[in-house]
Amino acid sequence: MKLLLVGATGLVGREVLRLALADARVSQVVAPVRKALPAHPKLDAPIVDFDRLPPDAPWWQADAVICTLGTTMKVAGTRRAFMRVDHDYPLAVARLALAAGTPAYALNSAAGANAASRIFYNRVKGELERDLEQLGFASLTCVRPGLIGGEREQARAGEGAALRVLRVLGPVLPRRWRINPAPRIAGALLEAALAAAPGVHIVSSEQLA
């Protein structure tokens, strides 16, 4: 199958790309990025501006999309900038892919995603899930990890300390509070894209622990 991956340079996106390139079921990965990726026979990595995505690019037509785009308030700087990366870009990708005939979309969302939440982060994630569902993909899967385990290129304030505590307490904590390893999240996203089960599906943090 042909897979369209957006967010290939992030923690989870890198794992999805690694798994997809090694998977015999995947014939090609198209990964639109802002900066070049290492070459691979199965990889097409066009350089794009996410504010000006090319609507007529042939690679929008795929068998499935996996979206792992995301940022933090610290990096984004403002709520509007955060909303653009975590909501507007994934939704724009979805619209273009669906218009080209791509039937399945798998999203790396977040535990607590809720369009009615008072917490800004959770509300943005929930609004994206709601807006994606309204588009009408034949298959939509929202993977909702909690705290993600793995090595980021840029450390996030407070996250390292939380990960250390959870690693110690993990065996005695409820599954929904445990660390979700990036490779496991990536595997869930890839399997959802490959299976393309009809309807809307949620993969909870408990299932990723």
Side-chain angles (χ1 to χ4, degrees):
M1 69 178 293
K2 178 182 175 182
L3 180 68
L4 177 62
L5 170 63
V6 288
T9 59
L11 174 58
V12 174
R14 293 197 306 269
E15 290 294 331
V16 173
L17 181 60
R18 179 183 64 82
L19 292 174
L21 293 177
D23 196 312
R25 295 171 295 177
V26 178
S27 58
Q28 182 185 20
V29 179
V30 178
V33 287
R34 287 195 174 103
K35 57 183 180 180
L37 291 173
H40 187 282
K42 287 168 58 171
L43 177 63
D44 178 13
I47 304 298
V48 300
D49 178 350
F50 280 91
D51 287 310
R52 298 174 181 82
L53 290 169
D56 55 352
W59 38 259
W60 290 119
Q61 185 176 15
D63 293 296
V65 177
I66 294 179
C67 179
T68 63
L69 285 171
T71 186
T72 64
M73 279 298 300
K74 181 179 179 181
V75 173
T78 66
R79 286 191 170 196
R80 179 58 253 171
F82 178 88
M83 183 81 171
R84 186 167 65 251
V85 175
D86 278 58
H87 175 276
D88 298 353
Y89 291 168
L91 190 60
V93 166
R95 286 173 171 154
L96 289 166
L98 187 62
T102 300
Y105 194 104
L107 172 71
N108 187 42
S109 185
N114 184 339
S117 177
R118 294 183 178 181
I119 300 171
F120 177 70
Y121 179 87
N122 290 348
R123 186 167 69 250
V124 171
K125 296 295 186 181
E127 288 174 351
L128 174 59
E129 289 189 8
R130 177 201 63 199
D131 294 345
L132 288 172
E133 185 172 353
Q134 290 175 353
L135 290 181
F137 278 95
S139 175
L140 172 64
T141 300
C142 299
V143 177
R144 294 178 175 175
L147 193 59
I148 301 173
E151 296 298 323
R152 298 186 185 275
E153 290 184 348
Q154 293 181 332
R156 295 185 176 182
E159 193 174 75
L163 284 168
R164 288 192 291 272
V165 171
L166 289 179
R167 286 192 186 102
V168 174
L169 299 179
V172 299
L173 288 174
R175 293 184 68 85
R176 67 180 181 277
W177 294 349
R178 296 179 188 177
I179 295 170
N180 296 156
R184 193 165 299 172
I185 300 165
L189 288 163
L190 182 59
E191 290 304 320
L194 291 169
V200 179
H201 309 274
I202 302 296
V203 179
S204 68
S205 59
E206 292 96 322
Q207 295 169 269
L208 301 166

